[in-house]
Amino acid sequence: NTRLLETRQRIKRDAVRRLQGETKPRILGIIPAKNTYPSLPNVVLREMAGKPLIGYTLDTALAVDALDRVVVSTDDQAVADYVMGRYPDVLALGRPDELSSVTARLSQIIAHTVQIMEADHDYYPDAVVLLSVHSPLREAEHVTAAIDTLILYPVDSVISVYEDYALHYLHAQQGLVPANPGMHHHVRLEREALYVDNGAVKAAWRDSITPASFLGERVGHVVMPAEISFQIKSE
């Protein structure tokens, strides 16, 4: 399965190179880095296997050739100091208090960051890639695959997912009915495939981004292996 995904990614990359030629879109990478969760204090700077959690996402972002700017949006000056001290090519932006509240939408944070880049830094992206700081196992190739999919297909946005092989049921008038009946017989049918948003990568054209939504109407996807879709969400 992993080899199949890698083959698909290479095919997409070759197609994008032929399509683009010398013309490449301006793509902004945004890393939201809220560090004030009561249940996970200082999670962004917490060390995991000898490196702060945010370091995994920063290293991945800087390894993606298609990203020409990378910014971190944070509510903690300590995070901003770490980024500016260790990653001079990455811009650290503070966010208003209301964008770190429990009611704040991710779309609001993205829209705010893009507006700051356009108004204060004279940078106008054609597309934006959102990279979750909670997904340390995501690699540059997965980000590139999402960007390639956004460029190749008529979609407003692309999200990363993993395939769910479990048998699922829906509640119907006559009781539970299988959503993917092929799995009754352990048969995987593409038309019955179920996908889980793993939160690792989201890419969208600038025109699709508003404070209310940044995915638009037509959402594409890239598949990542389930074993590297792990997210840091608890102790």
Side-chain angles (χ1 to χ4, degrees):
N1 186 43
T2 299
R3 186 175 299 174
L4 175 61
L5 296 178
E6 291 173 350
T7 301
R8 288 175 177 172
Q9 289 168 1
R10 285 197 299 270
I11 293 171
K12 286 182 181 179
R13 185 90 291 267
D14 291 342
V16 167
R17 289 194 185 102
R18 292 194 299 270
L19 177 67
Q20 284 183 330
E22 297 299 320
T23 303
K24 296 183 179 181
R26 294 183 302 274
I27 304 179
L28 174 66
I30 299 178
I31 303 172
K34 179 176 177 176
N35 204 34
T36 57
Y37 293 102
S39 60
L40 278 175
N42 201 38
V43 60
V44 172
L45 297 177
R46 191 88 65 87
E47 283 203 356
M48 187 183 77
K51 181 162 65 175
L53 180 62
I54 192 174
Y56 291 90
T57 298
L58 285 165
D59 291 343
T60 293
L62 293 176
V64 178
D65 292 336
L67 296 180
D68 57 342
R69 294 292 297 270
V70 178
V71 300
V72 171
S73 170
T74 185
D75 58 357
D76 187 351
Q77 185 60 44
V79 174
D81 291 342
Y82 172 81
V83 172
M84 292 185 292
R86 300 291 185 93
Y87 297 87
D89 294 332
V90 177
L91 182 63
L93 299 176
R95 67 173 72 162
D97 290 341
E98 60 267 23
L99 292 185
S100 284
S101 70
V102 294
T103 58
R105 294 181 179 181
L106 195 55
S107 57
Q108 293 175 302
I109 296 168
I110 302 308
H112 171 265
T113 304
V114 172
Q115 290 164 5
I116 292 296
M117 293 300 295
E118 293 175 341
D120 296 349
H121 297 272
D122 196 31
Y123 177 78
Y124 297 84
D126 298 305
V128 169
V129 173
L130 175 68
L131 300 175
S132 170
V133 75
H134 300 277
S135 302
L137 304 184
R138 167 209 50 229
E139 298 177 358
E141 64 191 54
H142 306 123
V143 184
T144 299
I147 294 171
D148 289 347
T149 301
L150 184 69
I151 293 171
L152 284 174
Y153 297 97
V155 294
D156 299 314
S157 62
V158 174
I159 65 173
S160 58
V161 300
Y162 65 87
E163 291 180 295
D164 188 343
Y165 303 137
L167 177 61
H168 292 264
Y169 290 89
L170 299 173
H171 191 275
Q173 187 174 7
Q174 68 272 28
L176 294 181
V177 296
N180 48 342
M183 291 308 297
H184 261 311
H185 309 288
H186 302 285
V187 176
R188 289 177 53 200
L189 301 176
E190 188 169 357
R191 67 178 181 271
E192 294 181 0
L194 297 176
Y195 300 103
V196 181
D197 181 352
N198 67 7
V201 186
K202 289 178 170 56
W205 293 112
R206 169 64 180 92
D207 293 344
S208 299
I209 297 172
T210 71
S213 171
F214 65 94
L215 294 180
E217 295 181 358
R218 188 174 176 86
V219 181
H221 72 280
V222 291
V223 178
M224 289 173 52
E227 61 269 19
I228 61 173
S229 294
F230 182 78
Q231 285 193 305
I232 303 292
K233 290 294 186 181
S234 68
E235 288 289 345

PDB file of all heavy atoms in Angstrom, residues 142-172:
ATOM      1  N   HIS A 142       4.435  14.142   1.472  1.00  0.00           N
ATOM      2  CA  HIS A 142       2.982  14.212   1.626  1.00  0.00           C
ATOM      3  C   HIS A 142       2.478  15.627   1.357  1.00  0.00           C
ATOM      4  O   HIS A 142       1.399  15.811   0.780  1.00  0.00           O
ATOM      5  CB  HIS A 142       2.586  13.768   3.031  1.00  0.00           C
ATOM      6  CG  HIS A 142       3.117  12.425   3.400  1.00  0.00           C
ATOM      7  ND1 HIS A 142       3.919  12.215   4.505  1.00  0.00           N
ATOM      8  CD2 HIS A 142       3.010  11.222   2.779  1.00  0.00           C
ATOM      9  CE1 HIS A 142       4.255  10.941   4.562  1.00  0.00           C
ATOM     10  NE2 HIS A 142       3.719  10.320   3.520  1.00  0.00           N
ATOM     11  N   VAL A 143       3.255  16.619   1.776  1.00  0.00           N
ATOM     12  CA  VAL A 143       2.889  18.014   1.511  1.00  0.00           C
ATOM     13  C   VAL A 143       2.946  18.279   0.011  1.00  0.00           C
ATOM     14  O   VAL A 143       2.041  18.902  -0.564  1.00  0.00           O
ATOM     15  CB  VAL A 143       3.832  18.971   2.264  1.00  0.00           C
ATOM     16  CG1 VAL A 143       3.387  20.420   2.050  1.00  0.00           C
ATOM     17  CG2 VAL A 143       3.871  18.637   3.753  1.00  0.00           C
ATOM     18  N   THR A 144       3.991  17.809  -0.624  1.00  0.00           N
ATOM     19  CA  THR A 144       4.138  17.988  -2.068  1.00  0.00           C
ATOM     20  C   THR A 144       2.995  17.311  -2.818  1.00  0.00           C
ATOM     21  O   THR A 144       2.466  17.864  -3.802  1.00  0.00           O
ATOM     22  CB  THR A 144       5.488  17.416  -2.543  1.00  0.00           C
ATOM     23  OG1 THR A 144       6.545  18.122  -1.889  1.00  0.00           O
ATOM     24  CG2 THR A 144       5.648  17.567  -4.047  1.00  0.00           C
ATOM     25  N   ALA A 145       2.590  16.140  -2.376  1.00  0.00           N
ATOM     26  CA  ALA A 145       1.487  15.431  -3.021  1.00  0.00           C
ATOM     27  C   ALA A 145       0.186  16.230  -2.931  1.00  0.00           C
ATOM     28  O   ALA A 145      -0.603  16.267  -3.890  1.00  0.00           O
ATOM     29  CB  ALA A 145       1.297  14.056  -2.394  1.00  0.00           C
ATOM     30  N   ALA A 146      -0.054  16.872  -1.796  1.00  0.00           N
ATOM     31  CA  ALA A 146      -1.263  17.697  -1.637  1.00  0.00           C
ATOM     32  C   ALA A 146      -1.226  18.891  -2.582  1.00  0.00           C
ATOM     33  O   ALA A 146      -2.232  19.243  -3.210  1.00  0.00           O
ATOM     34  CB  ALA A 146      -1.395  18.153  -0.195  1.00  0.00           C
ATOM     35  N   ILE A 147      -0.061  19.526  -2.693  1.00  0.00           N
ATOM     36  CA  ILE A 147       0.086  20.673  -3.595  1.00  0.00           C
ATOM     37  C   ILE A 147      -0.116  20.236  -5.044  1.00  0.00           C
ATOM     38  O   ILE A 147      -0.813  20.900  -5.823  1.00  0.00           O
ATOM     39  CB  ILE A 147       1.467  21.329  -3.400  1.00  0.00           C
ATOM     40  CG1 ILE A 147       1.560  21.946  -1.998  1.00  0.00           C
ATOM     41  CG2 ILE A 147       1.718  22.385  -4.472  1.00  0.00           C
ATOM     42  CD1 ILE A 147       2.957  22.423  -1.631  1.00  0.00           C
ATOM     43  N   ASP A 148       0.482  19.119  -5.420  1.00  0.00           N
ATOM     44  CA  ASP A 148       0.336  18.618  -6.786  1.00  0.00           C
ATOM     45  C   ASP A 148      -1.123  18.320  -7.113  1.00  0.00           C
ATOM     46  O   ASP A 148      -1.602  18.601  -8.223  1.00  0.00           O
ATOM     47  CB  ASP A 148       1.172  17.351  -6.976  1.00  0.00           C
ATOM     48  CG  ASP A 148       2.665  17.638  -6.985  1.00  0.00           C
ATOM     49  OD1 ASP A 148       3.049  18.821  -7.091  1.00  0.00           O
ATOM     50  OD2 ASP A 148       3.454  16.674  -6.872  1.00  0.00           O
ATOM     51  N   THR A 149      -1.833  17.747  -6.170  1.00  0.00           N
ATOM     52  CA  THR A 149      -3.249  17.436  -6.383  1.00  0.00           C
ATOM     53  C   THR A 149      -4.069  18.713  -6.552  1.00  0.00           C
ATOM     54  O   THR A 149      -4.965  18.788  -7.400  1.00  0.00           O
ATOM     55  CB  THR A 149      -3.798  16.610  -5.201  1.00  0.00           C
ATOM     56  OG1 THR A 149      -3.040  15.409  -5.078  1.00  0.00           O
ATOM     57  CG2 THR A 149      -5.264  16.251  -5.411  1.00  0.00           C
ATOM     58  N   LEU A 150      -3.754  19.733  -5.765  1.00  0.00           N
ATOM     59  CA  LEU A 150      -4.451  21.018  -5.872  1.00  0.00           C
ATOM     60  C   LEU A 150      -4.250  21.615  -7.266  1.00  0.00           C
ATOM     61  O   LEU A 150      -5.185  22.182  -7.850  1.00  0.00           O
ATOM     62  CB  LEU A 150      -3.930  21.978  -4.799  1.00  0.00           C
ATOM     63  CG  LEU A 150      -4.625  23.345  -4.711  1.00  0.00           C
ATOM     64  CD1 LEU A 150      -6.051  23.185  -4.184  1.00  0.00           C
ATOM     65  CD2 LEU A 150      -3.831  24.291  -3.823  1.00  0.00           C
ATOM     66  N   ILE A 151      -3.041  21.506  -7.795  1.00  0.00           N
ATOM     67  CA  ILE A 151      -2.723  22.085  -9.099  1.00  0.00           C
ATOM     68  C   ILE A 151      -3.327  21.273 -10.249  1.00  0.00           C
ATOM     69  O   ILE A 151      -3.826  21.836 -11.234  1.00  0.00           O
ATOM     70  CB  ILE A 151      -1.191  22.193  -9.266  1.00  0.00           C
ATOM     71  CG1 ILE A 151      -0.630  23.222  -8.273  1.00  0.00           C
ATOM     72  CG2 ILE A 151      -0.813  22.571 -10.698  1.00  0.00           C
ATOM     73  CD1 ILE A 151       0.882  23.249  -8.212  1.00  0.00           C
ATOM     74  N   LEU A 152      -3.323  19.960 -10.129  1.00  0.00           N
ATOM     75  CA  LEU A 152      -3.715  19.094 -11.241  1.00  0.00           C
ATOM     76  C   LEU A 152      -5.215  18.955 -11.431  1.00  0.00           C
ATOM     77  O   LEU A 152      -5.692  18.744 -12.547  1.00  0.00           O
ATOM     78  CB  LEU A 152      -3.117  17.697 -11.048  1.00  0.00           C
ATOM     79  CG  LEU A 152      -1.630  17.541 -11.351  1.00  0.00           C
ATOM     80  CD1 LEU A 152      -1.158  16.145 -10.969  1.00  0.00           C
ATOM     81  CD2 LEU A 152      -1.347  17.809 -12.826  1.00  0.00           C
ATOM     82  N   TYR A 153      -5.987  19.045 -10.353  1.00  0.00           N
ATOM     83  CA  TYR A 153      -7.407  18.741 -10.424  1.00  0.00           C
ATOM     84  C   TYR A 153      -8.270  19.982 -10.184  1.00  0.00           C
ATOM     85  O   TYR A 153      -7.829  20.926  -9.520  1.00  0.00           O
ATOM     86  CB  TYR A 153      -7.762  17.650  -9.404  1.00  0.00           C
ATOM     87  CG  TYR A 153      -7.056  16.343  -9.681  1.00  0.00           C
ATOM     88  CD1 TYR A 153      -5.884  16.001  -9.017  1.00  0.00           C
ATOM     89  CD2 TYR A 153      -7.557  15.454 -10.634  1.00  0.00           C
ATOM     90  CE1 TYR A 153      -5.231  14.806  -9.283  1.00  0.00           C
ATOM     91  CE2 TYR A 153      -6.921  14.256 -10.900  1.00  0.00           C
ATOM     92  CZ  TYR A 153      -5.752  13.941 -10.229  1.00  0.00           C
ATOM     93  OH  TYR A 153      -5.105  12.759 -10.509  1.00  0.00           O
ATOM     94  N   PRO A 154      -9.502  19.991 -10.699  1.00  0.00           N
ATOM     95  CA  PRO A 154     -10.388  21.151 -10.534  1.00  0.00           C
ATOM     96  C   PRO A 154     -11.031  21.185  -9.142  1.00  0.00           C
ATOM     97  O   PRO A 154     -12.241  20.976  -8.980  1.00  0.00           O
ATOM     98  CB  PRO A 154     -11.431  20.935 -11.636  1.00  0.00           C
ATOM     99  CG  PRO A 154     -11.516  19.450 -11.784  1.00  0.00           C
ATOM    100  CD  PRO A 154     -10.112  18.943 -11.574  1.00  0.00           C
ATOM    101  N   VAL A 155     -10.218  21.424  -8.133  1.00  0.00           N
ATOM    102  CA  VAL A 155     -10.698  21.455  -6.749  1.00  0.00           C
ATOM    103  C   VAL A 155     -10.360  22.805  -6.120  1.00  0.00           C
ATOM    104  O   VAL A 155      -9.462  23.516  -6.571  1.00  0.00           O
ATOM    105  CB  VAL A 155     -10.069  20.315  -5.912  1.00  0.00           C
ATOM    106  CG1 VAL A 155     -10.535  18.960  -6.422  1.00  0.00           C
ATOM    107  CG2 VAL A 155      -8.547  20.398  -5.925  1.00  0.00           C
ATOM    108  N   ASP A 156     -11.087  23.136  -5.066  1.00  0.00           N
ATOM    109  CA  ASP A 156     -10.806  24.355  -4.304  1.00  0.00           C
ATOM    110  C   ASP A 156      -9.757  24.101  -3.233  1.00  0.00           C
ATOM    111  O   ASP A 156      -9.033  25.027  -2.828  1.00  0.00           O
ATOM    112  CB  ASP A 156     -12.088  24.871  -3.634  1.00  0.00           C
ATOM    113  CG  ASP A 156     -13.164  25.226  -4.640  1.00  0.00           C
ATOM    114  OD1 ASP A 156     -12.841  25.898  -5.642  1.00  0.00           O
ATOM    115  OD2 ASP A 156     -14.328  24.817  -4.442  1.00  0.00           O
ATOM    116  N   SER A 157      -9.710  22.858  -2.759  1.00  0.00           N
ATOM    117  CA  SER A 157      -8.794  22.527  -1.676  1.00  0.00           C
ATOM    118  C   SER A 157      -8.487  21.044  -1.695  1.00  0.00           C
ATOM    119  O   SER A 157      -9.141  20.264  -2.398  1.00  0.00           O
ATOM    120  CB  SER A 157      -9.398  22.915  -0.322  1.00  0.00           C
ATOM    121  OG  SER A 157     -10.603  22.186  -0.095  1.00  0.00           O
ATOM    122  N   VAL A 158      -7.497  20.662  -0.893  1.00  0.00           N
ATOM    123  CA  VAL A 158      -7.084  19.261  -0.771  1.00  0.00           C
ATOM    124  C   VAL A 158      -6.787  18.987   0.698  1.00  0.00           C
ATOM    125  O   VAL A 158      -6.152  19.817   1.372  1.00  0.00           O
ATOM    126  CB  VAL A 158      -5.823  18.973  -1.615  1.00  0.00           C
ATOM    127  CG1 VAL A 158      -5.323  17.550  -1.365  1.00  0.00           C
ATOM    128  CG2 VAL A 158      -6.102  19.179  -3.094  1.00  0.00           C
ATOM    129  N   ILE A 159      -7.242  17.859   1.211  1.00  0.00           N
ATOM    130  CA  ILE A 159      -6.938  17.468   2.579  1.00  0.00           C
ATOM    131  C   ILE A 159      -6.244  16.110   2.572  1.00  0.00           C
ATOM    132  O   ILE A 159      -6.420  15.315   1.643  1.00  0.00           O
ATOM    133  CB  ILE A 159      -8.203  17.403   3.463  1.00  0.00           C
ATOM    134  CG1 ILE A 159      -9.147  16.293   2.979  1.00  0.00           C
ATOM    135  CG2 ILE A 159      -8.916  18.750   3.499  1.00  0.00           C
ATOM    136  CD1 ILE A 159     -10.331  16.054   3.914  1.00  0.00           C
ATOM    137  N   SER A 160      -5.435  15.865   3.591  1.00  0.00           N
ATOM    138  CA  SER A 160      -4.789  14.562   3.731  1.00  0.00           C
ATOM    139  C   SER A 160      -5.689  13.631   4.544  1.00  0.00           C
ATOM    140  O   SER A 160      -6.314  14.048   5.524  1.00  0.00           O
ATOM    141  CB  SER A 160      -3.428  14.701   4.405  1.00  0.00           C
ATOM    142  OG  SER A 160      -3.551  15.307   5.688  1.00  0.00           O
ATOM    143  N   VAL A 161      -5.745  12.378   4.121  1.00  0.00           N
ATOM    144  CA  VAL A 161      -6.620  11.392   4.768  1.00  0.00           C
ATOM    145  C   VAL A 161      -5.879  10.058   4.868  1.00  0.00           C
ATOM    146  O   VAL A 161      -4.834   9.869   4.253  1.00  0.00           O
ATOM    147  CB  VAL A 161      -7.924  11.180   3.968  1.00  0.00           C
ATOM    148  CG1 VAL A 161      -8.706  12.474   3.833  1.00  0.00           C
ATOM    149  CG2 VAL A 161      -7.620  10.595   2.573  1.00  0.00           C
ATOM    150  N   TYR A 162      -6.439   9.158   5.654  1.00  0.00           N
ATOM    151  CA  TYR A 162      -6.011   7.760   5.577  1.00  0.00           C
ATOM    152  C   TYR A 162      -7.249   6.898   5.374  1.00  0.00           C
ATOM    153  O   TYR A 162      -8.364   7.284   5.738  1.00  0.00           O
ATOM    154  CB  TYR A 162      -5.214   7.326   6.807  1.00  0.00           C
ATOM    155  CG  TYR A 162      -5.964   7.299   8.117  1.00  0.00           C
ATOM    156  CD1 TYR A 162      -6.678   6.165   8.513  1.00  0.00           C
ATOM    157  CD2 TYR A 162      -5.941   8.389   8.989  1.00  0.00           C
ATOM    158  CE1 TYR A 162      -7.355   6.125   9.721  1.00  0.00           C
ATOM    159  CE2 TYR A 162      -6.611   8.361  10.202  1.00  0.00           C
ATOM    160  CZ  TYR A 162      -7.316   7.233  10.561  1.00  0.00           C
ATOM    161  OH  TYR A 162      -7.991   7.192  11.765  1.00  0.00           O
ATOM    162  N   GLU A 163      -7.044   5.740   4.769  1.00  0.00           N
ATOM    163  CA  GLU A 163      -8.159   4.846   4.468  1.00  0.00           C
ATOM    164  C   GLU A 163      -8.566   4.068   5.722  1.00  0.00           C
ATOM    165  O   GLU A 163      -7.714   3.568   6.457  1.00  0.00           O
ATOM    166  CB  GLU A 163      -7.766   3.881   3.359  1.00  0.00           C
ATOM    167  CG  GLU A 163      -7.606   4.555   2.008  1.00  0.00           C
ATOM    168  CD  GLU A 163      -7.227   3.571   0.922  1.00  0.00           C
ATOM    169  OE1 GLU A 163      -6.115   3.009   1.020  1.00  0.00           O
ATOM    170  OE2 GLU A 163      -8.028   3.366  -0.012  1.00  0.00           O
ATOM    171  N   ASP A 164      -9.851   3.968   5.921  1.00  0.00           N
ATOM    172  CA  ASP A 164     -10.398   3.231   7.066  1.00  0.00           C
ATOM    173  C   ASP A 164     -10.938   1.896   6.555  1.00  0.00           C
ATOM    174  O   ASP A 164     -11.879   1.856   5.768  1.00  0.00           O
ATOM    175  CB  ASP A 164     -11.514   4.051   7.715  1.00  0.00           C
ATOM    176  CG  ASP A 164     -12.002   3.455   9.019  1.00  0.00           C
ATOM    177  OD1 ASP A 164     -11.733   2.263   9.266  1.00  0.00           O
ATOM    178  OD2 ASP A 164     -12.668   4.170   9.796  1.00  0.00           O
ATOM    179  N   TYR A 165     -10.313   0.812   6.990  1.00  0.00           N
ATOM    180  CA  TYR A 165     -10.694  -0.514   6.499  1.00  0.00           C
ATOM    181  C   TYR A 165     -11.750  -1.190   7.373  1.00  0.00           C
ATOM    182  O   TYR A 165     -12.209  -2.294   7.046  1.00  0.00           O
ATOM    183  CB  TYR A 165      -9.461  -1.414   6.440  1.00  0.00           C
ATOM    184  CG  TYR A 165      -8.341  -0.881   5.589  1.00  0.00           C
ATOM    185  CD1 TYR A 165      -7.026  -0.945   6.028  1.00  0.00           C
ATOM    186  CD2 TYR A 165      -8.594  -0.310   4.351  1.00  0.00           C
ATOM    187  CE1 TYR A 165      -5.987  -0.458   5.243  1.00  0.00           C
ATOM    188  CE2 TYR A 165      -7.574   0.181   3.559  1.00  0.00           C
ATOM    189  CZ  TYR A 165      -6.270   0.100   4.018  1.00  0.00           C
ATOM    190  OH  TYR A 165      -5.252   0.586   3.241  1.00  0.00           O
ATOM    191  N   ALA A 166     -12.122  -0.570   8.480  1.00  0.00           N
ATOM    192  CA  ALA A 166     -13.090  -1.207   9.381  1.00  0.00           C
ATOM    193  C   ALA A 166     -14.479  -1.228   8.758  1.00  0.00           C
ATOM    194  O   ALA A 166     -14.817  -0.400   7.906  1.00  0.00           O
ATOM    195  CB  ALA A 166     -13.130  -0.475  10.719  1.00  0.00           C
ATOM    196  N   LEU A 167     -15.288  -2.190   9.183  1.00  0.00           N
ATOM    197  CA  LEU A 167     -16.674  -2.264   8.733  1.00  0.00           C
ATOM    198  C   LEU A 167     -17.498  -1.255   9.526  1.00  0.00           C
ATOM    199  O   LEU A 167     -17.515  -1.285  10.755  1.00  0.00           O
ATOM    200  CB  LEU A 167     -17.215  -3.682   8.949  1.00  0.00           C
ATOM    201  CG  LEU A 167     -18.690  -3.912   8.590  1.00  0.00           C
ATOM    202  CD1 LEU A 167     -18.929  -3.637   7.106  1.00  0.00           C
ATOM    203  CD2 LEU A 167     -19.098  -5.345   8.934  1.00  0.00           C
ATOM    204  N   HIS A 168     -18.187  -0.353   8.811  1.00  0.00           N
ATOM    205  CA  HIS A 168     -18.997   0.681   9.444  1.00  0.00           C
ATOM    206  C   HIS A 168     -20.472   0.484   9.105  1.00  0.00           C
ATOM    207  O   HIS A 168     -20.802  -0.039   8.030  1.00  0.00           O
ATOM    208  CB  HIS A 168     -18.554   2.077   8.981  1.00  0.00           C
ATOM    209  CG  HIS A 168     -17.199   2.471   9.474  1.00  0.00           C
ATOM    210  ND1 HIS A 168     -17.005   3.233  10.596  1.00  0.00           N
ATOM    211  CD2 HIS A 168     -15.962   2.192   8.993  1.00  0.00           C
ATOM    212  CE1 HIS A 168     -15.715   3.418  10.785  1.00  0.00           C
ATOM    213  NE2 HIS A 168     -15.052   2.794   9.827  1.00  0.00           N
ATOM    214  N   TYR A 169     -21.323   0.939  10.023  1.00  0.00           N
ATOM    215  CA  TYR A 169     -22.764   0.819   9.823  1.00  0.00           C
ATOM    216  C   TYR A 169     -23.432   2.183   9.888  1.00  0.00           C
ATOM    217  O   TYR A 169     -22.958   3.094  10.578  1.00  0.00           O
ATOM    218  CB  TYR A 169     -23.374  -0.083  10.903  1.00  0.00           C
ATOM    219  CG  TYR A 169     -23.015  -1.542  10.770  1.00  0.00           C
ATOM    220  CD1 TYR A 169     -21.871  -2.044  11.383  1.00  0.00           C
ATOM    221  CD2 TYR A 169     -23.806  -2.416  10.035  1.00  0.00           C
ATOM    222  CE1 TYR A 169     -21.529  -3.383  11.269  1.00  0.00           C
ATOM    223  CE2 TYR A 169     -23.477  -3.757   9.917  1.00  0.00           C
ATOM    224  CZ  TYR A 169     -22.338  -4.231  10.534  1.00  0.00           C
ATOM    225  OH  TYR A 169     -22.004  -5.555  10.406  1.00  0.00           O
ATOM    226  N   LEU A 170     -24.546   2.303   9.173  1.00  0.00           N
ATOM    227  CA  LEU A 170     -25.403   3.480   9.237  1.00  0.00           C
ATOM    228  C   LEU A 170     -26.741   3.061   9.846  1.00  0.00           C
ATOM    229  O   LEU A 170     -27.212   1.935   9.631  1.00  0.00           O
ATOM    230  CB  LEU A 170     -25.637   4.053   7.832  1.00  0.00           C
ATOM    231  CG  LEU A 170     -24.396   4.516   7.075  1.00  0.00           C
ATOM    232  CD1 LEU A 170     -24.770   4.902   5.646  1.00  0.00           C
ATOM    233  CD2 LEU A 170     -23.741   5.686   7.790  1.00  0.00           C
ATOM    234  N   HIS A 171     -27.352   3.971  10.587  1.00  0.00           N
ATOM    235  CA  HIS A 171     -28.652   3.671  11.177  1.00  0.00           C
ATOM    236  C   HIS A 171     -29.739   3.945  10.146  1.00  0.00           C
ATOM    237  O   HIS A 171     -29.860   5.060   9.635  1.00  0.00           O
ATOM    238  CB  HIS A 171     -28.891   4.520  12.425  1.00  0.00           C
ATOM    239  CG  HIS A 171     -30.072   4.084  13.223  1.00  0.00           C
ATOM    240  ND1 HIS A 171     -31.349   4.499  12.940  1.00  0.00           N
ATOM    241  CD2 HIS A 171     -30.169   3.239  14.278  1.00  0.00           C
ATOM    242  CE1 HIS A 171     -32.184   3.955  13.801  1.00  0.00           C
ATOM    243  NE2 HIS A 171     -31.500   3.180  14.621  1.00  0.00           N
ATOM    244  N   ALA A 172     -30.513   2.934   9.815  1.00  0.00           N
ATOM    245  CA  ALA A 172     -31.595   3.057   8.845  1.00  0.00           C
ATOM    246  C   ALA A 172     -32.912   2.634   9.490  1.00  0.00           C
ATOM    247  O   ALA A 172     -32.941   2.192  10.648  1.00  0.00           O
ATOM    248  CB  ALA A 172     -31.303   2.194   7.619  1.00  0.00           C
TER     249      ALA A 172
END
